[in-house]
Amino acid sequence: MVKSHRRFRKVSYAKMAPIVERVTDIPVIELGEGPHWDIQTESLYFVDLFGKAIHRYVPRTGQCTKAEVGRPFFLIECPSNKTKTATSRSSPDIVVRMTSSGMSTLGHCPGKHVSVIIPIKGNCQQFVIGLERELSLVTWDGISEKPSKIEKIADVDKGTQNRMNDGKCDANGRLWVGTMGPEPINGHVEPDLGSLYSWNKGKLQQHLTNLGVSNGLAWSSDSKKFYFTDTFTYKVDEFDYDIENGTISNRKTIFTPNKHGIKGSPDGMTIDVDGNLWMALFNGYKIVKFDPRKPETLLKTIDIPAKQVTSLAWGGPQLDILYVTTAGFTVDGEVLPPPDHGATYQITGLGTKGLPAASCVLIMAPKILRVAEIPNLVLGEGPHWDIETQNLYIVDIFGKSIHKFNASTGQHSKAIFDKPVSFIVPVKGQRNKFVISLEREICVITWDGISERPSKIEKLAEVDQDTQNRINDGKCDPRGRLWAGTMGPEPEPGHFQPEAGSLFSLDGGEVTTFATKVGISNGLAWNTKLGKFYYNDSLVKRVDEFDYDINSGVISNRKTIFTFSKHDIDGLPDGMTIDADGNLWVAVFNGSSVIKIDPRKPETLLETIKVPAKQTTSVAWGGIDLNILYVTSASMTVDGVELLPPNHGATFQITGLGTKGLPADNFVSE
């Protein structure tokens, strides 16, 4: 039996009343705010706004840890010609400027208030926090006294002395955060200077202005309503909410505390599974429960033994514990002594429970970088990330070469052939073995990844015999079968013989043809959960879907799911991949872009990412976490238009896409 380490101070109330307990494992803090229960780690995160620290509390062990993120620092001069930083556990950071004049204190730089902490979805050690007017990404192990990394991702209310206050995420992981004016004296905030923002995909959008203190964010369970309070107005407002676009409209007041004789200012807020709102009352010694669907309907009040009740959040394994933060800072000479003021409380016996708090989906504005270690290619194609070796393999079709790139070392190598090679896929379980195409032949080669020529080439099959066709795109399905397609002759770059190609699979040494009269066979991807296969014939400018039987390797019931002309997309659909969310990413040849589409919703274009190369050819997920999208391109001269390096023909990597890929499947030999 595991002994519980939880320690609480029980506060006596009338019989059958909810039980309010001070969590004694959590120290008394000056301004506790922003409680967030993370269901993945079963931890309560919150901030000490004036203490400039983030906190983590694990009820199962009773462990409470904190990291200081907004500490003040002193600027000091001393002899030398460098600048360095020294820190102390018990004092502010000391920034030392080395000069030839001797050591002297130049000044004290105050730290930054920290107002929000929300975990990043899918990463238990990353959080988005508010630091004064900066949204920052913090890496913290939940134990150390300092985060290992702080990276600013956005600024709000630039050029002001404002600071952020409350912040939460909607069900889609979109961050909402509000600000308030300067507070030169505790409890005295300059009015009408705050704003309400949302942050999504690296973009900041302002929704409300002229706010006093932005507070109390909550959403209905169906995400159709958004609840908000500007503390200075002493009321709670409701908006219609568009979850897809992240917009609010039709503001109306639904609850006014002073109409019910309730003292204090509306502060943090949360919602329960029954659709009722729970709100903290700053300077009111209580929290209240009310029904937002019935304006001005007060359901319950619960007294808290702390005057400055700041916020609340549902937590615990069953989400039936209401955690309440408070403050204990001095306003107008009134001292609020510990242990009750500034404590964190838990309330049980409420007869309801909460909804899981949404984590932040980190979708930054995508960053596109050219991979300088990979040389410019004539026709870069067929990117394949091998998770076993953490290598990226690509081909140069017209350069008749295969390429290997190790992202961790930056090492690049290649091997040359006598015929065009259009794909390269490692052979599963066989080191230095790869399946490739050589014009119309499918071969297994032995290559050490270094030498300029393979040591062995073994022909497995030949397709489209007695033609001038060549194989184009090729990949393996989840069973390790090879799927590839052909295209007609290309007497001049960019000019193809139409309807001469085919689509086939190689399984157990047997070639099976599934489609004929193909223009340019391209873009292979699978969704095994849905039993779907996705395919492009570039010349018809569309993406098609087939039903897919993973056991037999048979495709059927072809239908179109995305048509370039319907979305005014210039260029041709080329290579394609799928992400972990089931969305497709398609390279647009002659379109300088990669598009993201939802194959489950025909004709749904989700995103367009511009690439600084006209002839974008293919895409593949890579990196340790499979969250880097590698993009190949070409630099062919078509109709006299010359495409110059360094961008045309380059290989690019795109990060900050907010999703990741699935491991690429390797070839299973007979």
Side-chain angles (χ1 to χ4, degrees), residues 20-47:
V20 180
E21 300 170 289
R22 178 165 54 85
V23 184
T24 57
D25 291 310
I26 300 176
V28 172
I29 54 182
E30 192 171 2
L31 178 48
E33 260 285 8
H36 179 106
W37 178 266
D38 180 38
I39 60 173
Q40 300 301 320
T41 61
E42 294 198 343
S43 302
L44 179 70
Y45 292 96
F46 59 98
V47 304

Side-chain angles (χ1 to χ4, degrees), residues 511-534:
V511 174
T512 303
T513 300
F514 288 97
T516 57
K517 295 185 178 181
V518 173
I520 301 177
S521 183
N522 250 318
L524 316 171
W526 290 263
N527 186 324
T528 54
K529 291 182 179 178
L530 300 179
K532 301 296 182 183
F533 167 67
Y534 306 108

Side-chain angles (χ1 to χ4, degrees), residues 599-670:
R600 295 148 299 193
K601 301 175 182 177
E603 305 299 344
T604 300
L605 176 63
L606 298 174
E607 191 169 359
T608 300
I609 300 173
K610 287 297 182 181
V611 177
K614 182 179 182 181
Q615 298 170 345
T616 310
T617 58
S618 195
V619 285
W621 293 101
I624 295 174
D625 297 318
L626 295 176
N627 59 355
I628 299 171
L629 189 66
Y630 285 99
V631 182
T632 52
S633 71
S635 58
M636 298 183 295
T637 298
V638 179
D639 296 332
V641 178
E642 189 176 0
L643 301 176
L644 301 176
N647 290 330
H648 301 289
T651 302
F652 301 90
Q653 65 172 36
I654 307 179
T655 55
L657 293 170
T659 187
K660 62 181 182 178
L662 302 168
D665 294 294
N666 290 341
F667 179 65
V668 176
S669 63
E670 297 178 50

Side-chain angles (χ1 to χ4, degrees), residues 130-174:
L131 280 176
E132 208 81 7
R133 290 174 298 281
E134 298 175 358
L135 281 174
S136 297
L137 184 63
V138 169
T139 302
W140 181 43
D141 60 10
I143 300 171
S144 303
E145 294 181 353
K146 278 196 170 185
S148 58
K149 186 178 181 181
I150 301 178
E151 176 187 0
K152 184 174 77 171
I153 55 178
D155 288 292
V156 300
D157 290 4
K158 291 182 179 179
T160 72
Q161 295 301 308
N162 291 0
R163 70 161 173 84
M164 275 181 271
N165 199 48
D166 208 359
K168 289 182 182 177
C169 289
D170 68 15
N172 280 358
R174 181 187 290 110

Side-chain angles (χ1 to χ4, degrees), residues 371-535:
V371 183
E373 294 89 347
I374 301 177
N376 288 73
L377 308 176
V378 181
L379 179 47
E381 262 285 6
H384 179 103
W385 180 268
D386 181 30
I387 61 171
E388 298 297 328
T389 61
Q390 294 288 294
N391 291 324
L392 176 70
Y393 294 96
I394 59 176
V395 302
D396 185 350
I397 295 178
F398 288 167
K400 302 175 182 176
S401 56
I402 57 175
H403 297 251
K404 177 182 121 179
F405 172 63
N406 187 295
S408 62
T409 65
Q411 184 180 20
H412 165 267
S413 56
K414 72 174 182 177
I416 301 172
F417 297 83
D418 298 323
K419 296 178 181 179
V421 54
S422 60
F423 64 79
I424 175 172
V425 178
V427 177
K428 187 175 182 179
Q430 298 187 41
R431 186 182 178 195
N432 296 338
K433 295 277 190 178
F434 304 88
V435 62
I436 69 167
S437 69
L438 287 175
E439 204 149 72
R440 289 176 298 281
E441 298 176 353
I442 301 168
C443 303
V444 169
I445 65 167
T446 303
W447 180 47
D448 60 9
I450 302 173
S451 303
E452 292 185 357
R453 291 276 183 175
S455 60
K456 185 178 180 181
I457 301 176
E458 178 187 359
K459 179 179 172 181
L460 297 181
E462 184 174 351
V463 298
D464 291 6
Q465 298 181 37
D466 302 321
T467 72
Q468 296 300 309
N469 291 359
R470 71 163 172 84
I471 298 173
N472 197 45
D473 208 358
K475 291 182 182 178
C476 288
D477 70 14
R479 283 290 173 86
R481 301 180 188 93
L482 177 68
W483 288 72
T486 58
M487 57 183 283
E490 188 176 6
E492 295 180 28
H495 296 270
F496 316 97
Q497 180 180 327
E499 298 185 350
S502 61
L503 171 67
F504 61 88
S505 71
L506 175 65
D507 185 10
E510 182 179 346
V511 174
T512 303
T513 300
F514 288 97
T516 57
K517 295 185 178 181
V518 173
I520 301 177
S521 183
N522 250 318
L524 316 171
W526 290 263
N527 186 324
T528 54
K529 291 182 179 178
L530 300 179
K532 301 296 182 183
F533 167 67
Y534 306 108
Y535 176 69

Side-chain angles (χ1 to χ4, degrees), residues 29 32 69 85 87 90 138 142 197 199 208 318 337 356 364 367 405 442 455 462-463 490 545 591 657:
I29 54 182
V69 294
T85 303
T87 61
S90 59
V138 169
Y197 294 91
W199 182 83
L208 299 175
Q318 306 302 318
M364 305 285 288
K367 293 181 181 179
F405 172 63
I442 301 168
S455 60
E462 184 174 351
V463 298
E490 188 176 6
E545 172 192 280
L657 293 170

Side-chain angles (χ1 to χ4, degrees), residues 209-285:
T209 58
N210 301 318
L211 301 178
V213 179
S214 180
N215 248 320
L217 315 173
W219 289 264
S220 61
S221 60
D222 61 6
S223 295
K224 292 183 178 180
K225 298 295 181 181
F226 170 66
Y227 306 109
F228 173 76
T229 180
D230 176 355
T231 297
F232 279 9
T233 65
Y234 297 95
K235 64 184 183 182
V236 179
D237 290 341
E238 173 193 277
F239 295 80
D240 291 336
Y241 190 65
D242 184 335
I243 184 69
E244 295 301 322
N245 297 308
T247 55
I248 55 176
S249 59
N250 301 324
R251 185 176 188 171
K252 69 177 183 180
T253 298
I254 56 171
F255 190 75
T256 314
N258 58 19
K259 285 186 178 181
H260 303 270
I262 297 172
K263 295 181 179 179
S265 305
D267 209 312
M269 188 161 57
T270 191
I271 194 165
D272 64 29
V273 293
D274 302 315
N276 297 313
L277 292 171
W278 298 73
M279 184 172 66
L281 272 299
F282 189 85
N283 282 338
Y285 281 102

Side-chain angles (χ1 to χ4, degrees), residues 72-145:
F73 62 86
F74 292 98
L75 192 59
I76 295 175
E77 283 191 348
C78 62
S80 188
N81 57 5
K82 285 185 175 182
T83 300
K84 63 182 181 180
T85 303
T87 61
S88 167
R89 290 177 58 183
S90 59
S91 66
D93 289 350
I94 301 172
V95 176
V96 182
R97 180 178 298 163
M98 314 295 278
T99 70
S100 58
S101 61
M103 183 181 290
S104 62
T105 301
L106 295 180
H108 172 258
C109 299
K112 296 177 180 178
H113 298 94
V114 55
S115 56
V116 176
I117 177 169
I118 302 173
I120 297 297
K121 186 177 181 179
N123 191 327
C124 64
Q125 294 191 3
Q126 277 197 322
F127 307 85
V128 63
I129 67 170
L131 280 176
E132 208 81 7
R133 290 174 298 281
E134 298 175 358
L135 281 174
S136 297
L137 184 63
V138 169
T139 302
W140 181 43
D141 60 10
I143 300 171
S144 303
E145 294 181 353

